[in-house]
Amino acid sequence: MIGAAAIDGPAHFVHLAGARARLGFPSPADDFMDEAVDLHRLLVRNPAATFLYRADGWSMLGVGISDGDILVVDRSVQPQPGDLVIAIWDGNQPTCKVLQLFEHHLKLHSANPEFPPIVLEQGTEVEVFAVVGVARQIQRRRGHVRAR
């Protein structure tokens, strides 16, 4: 775990393009800046309940989370089935998975077929927190750009 988000940290604004980034063919007319955004204010809605975790491993690659990404976790958000969560049980390290609830157990699903789901039977003491955002770093490796 990286730690709690600063409650009243200084604002660090980053320019936000006036146009959305299309996933298809880009328009040359969309080349202008619109406003500045403080990423802390964008990603952290409840600073007192927000913690940052660094992702470790590749089990969530199918939902776009890579090793080294930063997970923004808000402990005040009530997790729902299908949510991306951080779960902690039986002294295990915090684990990022997709939550599925059943009458007598819960399942924590990976987003990579190489990793089987984790089944926690009723009576297991488990804490589950909602992941509300992901921040990633981009690195160049061997001429390719990839999320890190």
Side-chain angles (χ1 to χ4, degrees), residues 5-124:
I7 292 175
D8 289 309
H12 298 283
F13 293 98
V14 178
H15 291 287
L16 176 66
R20 294 180 181 259
R22 293 192 179 114
L23 301 182
F25 188 76
S27 168
D30 292 339
D31 266 358
F32 59 93
M33 295 294 150
D34 190 25
E35 61 180 291
V37 172
D38 178 352
L39 292 176
H40 186 271
R41 291 184 196 274
L42 182 67
L43 293 172
V44 178
R45 291 189 179 96
N46 185 348
T50 301
F51 292 81
L52 304 175
Y53 290 84
R54 186 175 302 279
D56 183 21
W58 299 99
S59 70
M60 300 308 289
L61 194 57
V63 292
I65 297 175
S66 299
D67 184 67
D69 285 351
I70 304 296
L71 307 173
V72 182
V73 177
D74 187 336
R75 292 181 177 212
S76 69
V77 174
Q78 181 66 39
Q80 304 281 325
D83 281 355
L84 188 61
V85 299
I86 292 289
I88 304 168
W89 72 98
D90 293 340
N92 287 296
Q93 291 279 345
T95 302
C96 179
K97 301 292 179 202
V98 176
L99 177 66
Q100 238 187 356
L101 298 175
F102 298 91
E103 188 175 339
H104 298 290
H105 67 281
L106 65 83
K107 278 188 185 178
L108 301 169
H109 285 271
S110 297
N112 182 332
E114 294 181 24
F115 296 85
I118 298 166
V119 178
L120 299 176
E121 298 296 333
Q122 189 173 19
T124 303

